[in-house]
Amino acid sequence: MKKAGWLGIFLLSLGCLQPPARKAIPLPAVDNEGHRGCRGLLPENSIAAMLYALDLGVTTLEMDVVISADGQVLLSHEPFFNAQISSHPDGRFVDTAEARTLNIYQMNYADIRQYDVGNRQHPAFPQQRVQPAIKPLLADVIDSVEQYALATGRPLPFYNIETKTSPATDDVFHPRPAPFVKQLLDVVNDKKVGPRTIIQSFDFRTLREVHRHYPKVRTSVLIDAHDHRSMKRQIRDLGFVPDIYSPNFQLVTTELVETCHARGMKVVAWTANNRAIINRLKQMGVDGIISDYPDLLTRKK
């Protein structure tokens, strides 16, 4: 084989040098994403928040998932019961000292669903309406959303699902990346929403698992404001070019957006809760915005 041929194979093997493969269903041209449904308005990661976000016109529902002791995939930002929003089955508030002992990975879902996470208003969101809520199964969320969208004549949304994993807490608060991703994608594939699913994470390991074993599922790399690596270095460390580059909104510049677009990545900024910031992000050319107040994204004025 000619040297150029070997070079081509070598470059192809470095996924970071190739744009992401095309997926079956195009992403929205302007992606309005409801953060944890609509955390600023209803209890986070609840079915009610997801349905209300649809009413507000979101195109993508953003959510977080964890795994229970009996292998159930459910919505939760933390792998335990957050003391700011959680109540025991008997109504007592979960306090900070005990929160991490209520480890979802060590609890069966029958017990998890007895805890309320909606009757205590999140202190950071004074507009949030309190109402009873549990940590729902991902399967139940998808069923409810799909049925509601069809019943109300709304377009079927995309699902932007964050894997809540970290090397420091493997086998303590969650499975390792391989079984975590398999359990998650088993639900996604069973519900037949893979073409409308994005898997996002700060943990590059889970994104690599998705890219390796589920190449048709979109990936989104989450970038924290404290990550001082260059975008080029981040993508090199990831090992492939994801479909979406998703930075904290403070990191977004016109140059960053143009560079991402040149490499075949869309840019989805998080989490913008101010109209002036949202307008500035749009002017810089981002492809999507995640907000706790998705009504700010969809209202014309």
Side-chain angles (χ1 to χ4, degrees), residues 108-271:
N108 290 329
Y109 186 67
D111 297 317
I112 293 167
R113 70 189 315 276
Q114 301 303 314
Y115 285 75
D116 179 86
V117 290
N119 274 320
R120 295 171 62 188
Q121 185 179 65
H122 195 297
F125 300 100
Q127 296 180 46
Q128 187 186 83
R129 297 200 307 268
V130 298
Q131 61 185 58
I134 64 169
K135 292 184 181 293
L137 294 175
L138 174 61
D140 291 343
V141 171
I142 294 172
D143 285 344
S144 297
V145 166
E146 299 287 296
Q147 291 166 13
Y148 187 73
L150 291 171
T152 56
R154 289 175 170 79
L156 295 174
F158 281 75
Y159 298 90
N160 189 8
I161 305 173
E162 181 178 348
T163 58
K164 304 304 293 187
T165 61
S166 168
T169 51
D170 281 348
D171 299 324
V172 178
F173 281 111
H174 53 77
R176 291 176 181 271
F180 191 112
V181 167
K182 182 181 186 309
Q183 286 170 281
L184 168 56
L185 269 297
D186 280 350
V187 176
V188 168
N189 290 331
D190 180 63
K191 295 301 176 182
K192 298 180 171 55
V193 295
R196 287 185 282 117
T197 294
I198 304 153
I199 304 300
Q200 65 174 354
S201 192
F202 292 100
D203 187 349
F204 288 8
R205 302 175 306 157
T206 57
L207 297 180
R208 292 188 197 107
E209 284 292 321
V210 175
H211 181 69
R212 184 180 302 117
H213 299 291
Y214 306 89
K216 292 185 179 180
V217 175
R218 290 179 172 91
T219 52
S220 175
V221 61
L222 289 167
I223 303 298
D224 190 85
H226 303 295
D227 188 339
H228 299 300
R229 292 173 296 173
S230 67
M231 185 270 287
K232 182 178 180 181
R233 174 61 184 272
Q234 290 160 350
I235 300 307
R236 185 164 70 245
D237 289 348
L238 177 61
F240 68 96
V241 177
D243 298 276
I244 299 166
Y245 185 82
S246 190
N248 182 292
F249 76 87
Q250 300 173 73
L251 300 175
V252 178
T253 63
T254 301
E255 181 183 13
L256 175 70
V257 173
E258 291 174 349
T259 302
C260 287
H261 286 171
R263 299 198 68 176
M265 295 181 289
K266 289 184 175 289
V267 178
V268 175
W270 58 271
T271 299

Side-chain angles (χ1 to χ4, degrees), residues 35-167:
H35 187 228
R36 307 185 202 177
C38 53
R39 179 168 66 147
L41 305 172
L42 282 175
E44 66 180 60
N45 281 319
S46 65
I47 289 178
M50 300 298 163
L51 300 187
Y52 189 46
L54 291 185
D55 288 341
L56 295 174
V58 303
T59 46
T60 297
L61 296 169
E62 193 274 350
M63 61 194 70
D64 314 275
V65 295
V66 299
I67 311 288
S68 67
D70 52 345
Q72 299 298 308
V73 183
L74 61 140
L75 269 59
S76 181
H77 183 259
E78 294 82 19
F80 52 84
F81 281 92
N82 185 333
Q84 290 184 308
I85 61 173
S86 305
S87 301
H88 287 276
D90 63 6
R92 289 180 299 114
F93 290 174
V94 170
D95 63 44
T96 304
E98 67 178 332
R100 287 178 175 270
T101 69
L102 297 171
N103 181 349
I104 291 171
Y105 188 44
Q106 304 299 328
M107 302 170 66
N108 290 329
Y109 186 67
D111 297 317
I112 293 167
R113 70 189 315 276
Q114 301 303 314
Y115 285 75
D116 179 86
V117 290
N119 274 320
R120 295 171 62 188
Q121 185 179 65
H122 195 297
F125 300 100
Q127 296 180 46
Q128 187 186 83
R129 297 200 307 268
V130 298
Q131 61 185 58
I134 64 169
K135 292 184 181 293
L137 294 175
L138 174 61
D140 291 343
V141 171
I142 294 172
D143 285 344
S144 297
V145 166
E146 299 287 296
Q147 291 166 13
Y148 187 73
L150 291 171
T152 56
R154 289 175 170 79
L156 295 174
F158 281 75
Y159 298 90
N160 189 8
I161 305 173
E162 181 178 348
T163 58
K164 304 304 293 187
T165 61
S166 168

